[in-house]
Amino acid sequence: MASRPDDTRVTNGGLDRSIVLVGMMGVGKSTIGRLLAGKLNLEFVDSDEEIEKAAGMPISEIFERFGEPGFRDGERRVIGRLIAEGPKVIATGGGAFINDETRGLIKEKCRSVWIDADLDVLVDRVSRRNHRPLLVGKDPRQVLTELSEKRTPFYQEADIHVRSDSGPHARTVNQILEALA
């Protein structure tokens, strides 16, 4: 039986730095990150999960207790620790790359990949689950439009830019692998 192209594993090619995925909520950073890490034979980590472990509470509670600035400070420290641990694939929260210090650290020590998607794709994806603090009690389309306008100039500073659509995430992973080669 012939193997399918999306089942192929590649070595990490001697990557000496982490690959950090940035982009809007709902773009697929975590799912794409897991697939990409498997292809590159690297560890995958989701910075939001690591923040929750470090804080001992869910992100929604961190936002409630410390506000967005307190969350962003903890996020920066956790991402710094993850980067210092050595090469891996890191999926970041949608606002991580907006923070000047976090962005500077990622740009200096990692390969950054902006995963971009059309607004309709994002709205569809984020509407499936109700766990995002910035969307609670708000219209997802309006919030995503406003966030995109603010964040896109920062995302454009990433080393690599790929588009995700409503198709399989493996297609986006392949785009990233081609750009890394």
Side-chain angles (χ1 to χ4, degrees), residues 33-150:
R34 282 184 187 87
L35 294 169
L36 180 64
K39 295 272 187 178
L40 293 173
N41 243 354
L42 290 172
E43 176 188 2
F44 169 78
V45 291
D46 182 308
S47 67
D48 283 350
E49 291 175 7
E50 294 298 315
I51 292 163
E52 289 182 336
K53 285 182 200 172
M57 65 183 80
I59 288 174
S60 57
E61 189 173 333
I62 298 170
F63 264 78
E64 286 172 22
R65 292 178 65 182
F66 305 105
E68 188 170 357
F71 170 77
R72 296 294 172 209
D73 182 54
E75 178 179 59
R76 177 187 47 75
R77 289 186 313 228
V78 167
I79 290 173
R81 174 180 53 83
L82 294 172
I83 291 169
E85 292 171 353
K88 59 181 61 70
V89 175
I90 304 170
T92 63
F97 206 61
I98 308 314
N99 179 282
D100 291 336
E101 288 181 64
T102 304
R103 187 175 61 262
L105 180 65
I106 291 169
K107 288 175 61 97
E108 177 187 343
K109 298 184 181 273
C110 306
R111 296 284 310 268
S112 54
V113 179
W114 172 28
I115 303 173
D116 191 10
D118 290 333
L119 182 62
D120 289 337
V121 171
L122 296 177
V123 170
D124 179 57
R125 289 179 182 168
V126 301
S127 297
R128 295 179 199 163
R129 296 170 62 195
N130 188 20
H131 70 288
R132 301 178 191 275
L134 295 177
L135 295 179
V136 174
K138 298 177 182 164
D139 173 34
R141 180 171 298 278
Q142 181 180 350
V143 172
L144 289 167
T145 299
E146 291 169 4
L147 288 174
S148 180
E149 288 170 3
K150 291 177 191 168

